[in-house]
Amino acid sequence: MKYLKFLIALLLLSPAAFAQMPKYVVVISIDGLRPEFYKDPSWGAVNLRQLAENGMYADGVRGDMPTVTYPSHTTIITGKFPAKHGIYYNTPFETKAQVGELGYTDSRRITTETIWDAAHKKGLRTASVLWPVSVNQSSIDYNMPDAPRNTKLADPLQPFRQYSKPAGLFEEMEKNATGKLYNHDLDGHLSTDDNLARMASYLIETYKPNLITIHLVCVDHYSHMEGRLGLDVRKAVEGIDHNIGRIIEATVRAGTTDSTAFIIVGDHGFVNITTQLAPNVELAKAGLVGKNLQEDNWKAQFFQQGGSTFLYLKDKNDKKTLKQVREIVDNLPVGIKALFKIIERPELDKFGVDPNVPFALAAIPGISFTNATEGDIVRAGSGGTHGHFPDFPEIETGFVASGCGLAKQKIIHQMGLENIAPLINALLKLDMKDMDGALYPGLLAPQK
Ligand SMILES: [Zn+2]
């Protein structure tokens, strides 16, 4: 009896003890997702709003530093910051020879466990469509990875064909899901998301993966071109919303809707840009970097990621050059210094930023960086970008989740990208360990 009481007490303490947990988790990433897409009805994202109303949404999700696509997506699937997962930027700071054909698209560069690995270890079936850093990912059973298109080839989609897995999956998609695919079908325009969602729907209906990760891209594409409020951005949001509806419908046809948790994530917000800064111009004037960054004659250079830029020293221990760069930055005119802030190493450590960088510059909203070594240090900019330090609302991304195993009618004020993998870990009862993020309280359905 005593033992029984103990057991009951233990079960009461565990919030998910009696809640039905999902057999399937569908993770959809909207590149450049902003919370207003689901909080403001004028964006027309009815499917997103329905998911948010039936389940939960976040007022804002704080991103990685830098707030760019590849590190952020890797944080989503590992629960860790870049210093632990190894994907520091969208492109590595390496020579062309070191980067190779695949760069950071190669999943073997991820230095830690992913949710795909953890799901696979549990014997679950996994699938993915265009998720960043997923080429050569051995734990995805059905993978249409984000391989780099090569417009120099007669068929620029050849890398997609080559790296899709199992062999022939790309052709299977063309036959059963999309029709024949050409470069313009996957180059970031509106029809790209239609094709990606058709692929995801086909995988859900045909193979019923327990975990599928899907990356939809055209909101980011148009936000770069037009800024936050471009009409094409609105079209892209409506298009993505339509495709979320398409993917939900696929679970209905697969008979899995009631046992599926739908998780909608993003990687960063967007900032309208009026001005660009080129700090390498000052380093070039001081003889610390050559005019041509491809050449090897440099001691220090800034490496831009949109709204932030990262100092690299050729010799990490070159204190003299570091001091010189710092003086150059400190002696810039007050009007230029007002356009960015210096992020020191202790703060970079908090966000798990590339350990090779002694300090970074983070632009204020409206400003982005260029690597240029010639011309004016301040120049005109346009459109939108991201990459800024994640400490102001416009750069925040969003989160919506609904379905089996998830709490209802919950509003999260603010969470971090590193809190998403712990949620998937709990929903699928995986065994991921040592994540930087924790399970955000109250996201799981209460016990019955
Ligand atoms: Zn992105």
Side-chain angles (χ1 to χ4, degrees):
M1 191 61 190
K2 211 172 170 189
Y3 178 67
L4 190 68
K5 270 187 189 161
F6 172 73
L7 254 187
I8 290 167
L10 198 70
L11 288 168
L12 286 172
L13 280 173
S14 166
F18 294 110
Q20 190 200 352
M21 293 304 255
K23 202 172 162 198
Y24 307 97
V25 172
V26 174
V27 182
I28 303 173
S29 161
I30 302 173
D31 205 300
L33 170 67
R34 288 152 33 205
E36 69 225 62
F37 298 164
Y38 48 81
K39 292 179 73 179
D40 172 359
S42 78
W43 284 91
V46 182
N47 286 296
L48 266 181
R49 279 173 47 218
Q50 194 172 35
L51 287 171
E53 274 177 28
N54 291 339
M56 64 185 75
Y57 68 87
D59 286 330
V61 179
R62 195 242 322 113
D64 275 358
M65 169 64 177
T67 43
V68 294
T69 304
Y70 279 34
S72 306
H73 276 86
T74 311
T75 294
I76 292 168
I77 52 130
T78 62
K80 293 178 185 174
F81 290 128
K84 283 194 199 159
H85 66 53
I87 307 298
Y88 302 144
Y89 308 107
N90 271 354
T91 49
F93 181 82
E94 292 171 357
T95 65
K96 269 195 176 148
Q98 285 172 305
V99 170
E101 177 200 338
L102 291 173
Y104 271 158
T105 66
D106 192 340
S107 183
R108 293 173 297 192
R109 284 178 176 259
I110 300 178
T111 50
T112 187
E113 188 180 37
T114 64
I115 51 168
W116 304 308
D117 299 323
H120 222 229
K121 224 183 262 174
K122 285 264 162 180
L124 301 180
R125 191 177 296 169
T126 53
S128 188
V129 177
L130 213 81
W131 197 269
V133 205
S134 65
V135 173
N136 291 319
Q137 167 52 251
S138 57
S139 297
I140 303 175
D141 299 306
Y142 298 93
N143 191 9
M144 301 290 292
D146 181 21
R149 285 177 302 118
N150 186 345
T151 49
K152 288 188 193 128
L153 300 175
D155 175 10
L157 301 185
Q158 194 276 334
F160 283 95
R161 292 178 195 282
Q162 181 184 341
Y163 292 109
S164 68
K165 180 193 150 190
L169 185 63
F170 195 96
E171 288 72 22
E172 186 180 331
M173 289 293 175
E174 288 182 309
K175 185 162 172 253
N176 300 319
T178 61
K180 171 85 179 153
L181 289 167
Y182 299 92
N183 186 43
H184 60 254
D185 294 315
L186 288 177
D187 66 353
H189 287 89
L190 285 174
S191 60
T192 302
D193 287 335
D194 294 334
N195 287 313
L196 298 173
R198 283 192 182 104
M199 292 178 193
S201 300
Y202 173 77
L203 289 172
I204 288 168
E205 281 187 72
T206 312
Y207 299 110
K208 294 190 174 65
N210 303 98
L211 171 66
I212 183 167
T213 50
I214 305 152
H215 176 215
L216 302 176
V217 296
C218 68
V219 166
D220 177 84
H221 179 84
Y222 291 110
S223 304
H224 276 290
M225 287 164 66
E226 300 179 353
R228 291 167 61 89
L229 298 176
L231 285 177
D232 284 324
V233 179
R234 288 189 175 269
K235 281 198 268 183
V237 170
E238 287 192 5
I240 280 194
D241 188 71
H242 169 79
N243 281 311
I244 289 172
R246 184 199 297 269
I247 291 165
I248 295 170
E249 261 187 20
T251 70
V252 174
R253 286 193 295 273
T256 55
T257 316
D258 292 344
S259 44
T260 297
F262 297 93
I263 300 179
I264 316 296
V265 299
D267 50 354
H268 48 73
F270 253 89
V271 175
N272 287 345
I273 296 302
T274 60
T275 306
Q276 281 197 313
L277 284 179
N280 281 336
V281 167
E282 296 302 314
L283 302 196
K285 278 186 201 159
L288 296 176
V289 64
K291 293 220 155 55
N292 182 354
L293 289 173
Q294 306 302 325
E295 288 172 7
D296 208 23
N297 55 340
W298 64 284
K299 283 185 172 175
Q301 62 177 286
F302 283 103
F303 178 57
Q304 68 87 12
Q305 294 287 299
S308 55
T309 195
F310 297 80
L311 179 66
Y312 264 84
L313 298 172
K314 191 167 193 186
D315 170 5
K316 267 210 275 190
N317 302 314
D318 185 353
K319 297 248 162 30
K320 187 171 156 238
T321 299
L322 177 59
K323 190 162 169 264
Q324 207 180 339
V325 174
R326 193 53 186 252
E327 279 168 11
I328 289 169
V329 172
D330 288 343
N331 290 329
L332 286 170
V334 174
I336 294 177
K337 280 207 293 187
L339 303 180
F340 64 85
K341 60 180 177 178
I342 300 173
I343 311 291
E344 309 286 2
R345 194 60 240 180
E347 188 131 31
L348 295 177
D349 284 334
K350 269 192 229 162
F351 283 88
V353 175
D354 178 358
N356 303 301
V357 168
F359 69 86
L361 308 182
I364 62 169
I367 314 293
S368 69
F369 289 101
T370 160
N371 284 341
T373 55
E374 295 181 272
D376 295 332
I377 180 171
V378 180
R379 51 190 79 193
S382 63
T385 200
H386 48 87
H388 299 71
F389 194 72
D391 63 348
F392 57 97
E394 292 100 309
I395 203 64
E396 287 183 346
T397 187
F399 170 86
V400 172
S402 180
C404 186
L406 290 161
K408 289 185 195 309
Q409 297 191 316
K410 179 156 178 80
I411 299 172
I412 302 150
H413 174 55
Q414 198 199 44
M415 58 193 277
L417 281 185
E418 71 281 4
N419 297 126
I420 294 164
L423 174 61
I424 300 164
N425 182 58
L427 287 169
L428 286 175
K429 298 180 181 158
L430 309 179
D431 294 323
M432 290 184 77
K433 294 196 174 67
D434 303 323
M435 289 185 277
D436 286 325
L439 177 61
Y440 193 95
L443 301 194
L444 298 180
Q447 65 180 60
K448 282 181 183 155

